[in-house]
Amino acid sequence: MKLIIAIVNNDDAHFVNTGLTSSGFHVTKISSTGGFLMNGNSTFLLGVENEEVDNALEIIKTHSKKRTQNVPAIMPGTNAYGTESTKILVGGATVFVIDVEKAVRF
Ligand code: 2BA
């Protein structure tokens, strides 16, 4: 068994959630915050059988869009933010797949 941890943009979270649950995956969705932009995002936890990992990843990939986001530019040589903004590419999803030693439900 594997634990999939998928960090997804909030705008995609509903579609990822629906895609996974309608395909029979058991999902826990946690409200989370990115450390860089400090924007809200959604972290999904899924315990899945090994042979279902690729199927789950494909669903997450399908519903997680790449997008550009405007962020304030930092003034050169200072820690201050300027009035200029710059664009960065965010997403689709950031995913980790971890071996599960044991899974129990009481
Ligand atoms: P944030 O940390 O808020 O990062 C948002 C976006 O800012 C990132 O998009 C990336 O484009 C950029 N970014 C992040 N850290 C940066 C840095 N040190 N220098 C320059 N640009 C930086 P994504 O890569 O798509 O990440 C989206 C969210 O996924 C992240 O939000 C964070 O919550 C999570 N994440 C990404 N990589 C992670 C990792 N290795 N470990 C844990 N969480 C991660």
Side-chain angles (χ1 to χ4, degrees):
M1 184 176 233
K2 305 282 187 190
L3 175 66
I4 298 178
I5 303 172
I7 303 160
V8 170
N9 192 292
N10 273 347
D11 292 341
D12 299 327
H14 169 76
F15 302 102
V16 170
N17 197 15
T18 304
L20 289 168
T21 53
S22 66
S23 295
F25 289 103
H26 290 213
V27 167
T28 297
K29 176 177 164 295
I30 300 171
S31 296
S32 45
T33 305
F36 187 66
L37 296 182
M38 301 298 286
N39 282 344
N41 52 30
S42 297
T43 299
F44 289 88
L45 304 181
L46 304 76
V48 301
E49 298 304 331
N50 292 359
E51 58 274 17
E52 287 298 326
V53 168
D54 287 344
N55 187 14
L57 294 181
E58 196 55 40
I59 293 168
I60 295 166
K61 183 178 171 187
T62 298
H63 296 291
S64 299
K65 310 280 180 257
K66 286 190 195 308
R67 44 177 65 82
T68 55
Q69 193 160 333
N70 277 319
V71 294
I74 294 184
M75 310 263 287
T78 75
N79 285 328
Y81 289 106
T83 51
E84 301 284 316
S85 67
T86 185
K87 285 186 192 307
I88 59 169
L89 184 66
V90 180
T94 300
V95 182
F96 304 92
V97 181
I98 298 167
D99 284 325
V100 173
E101 192 172 319
K102 190 175 184 179
V104 288
R105 279 164 53 206
F106 295 111

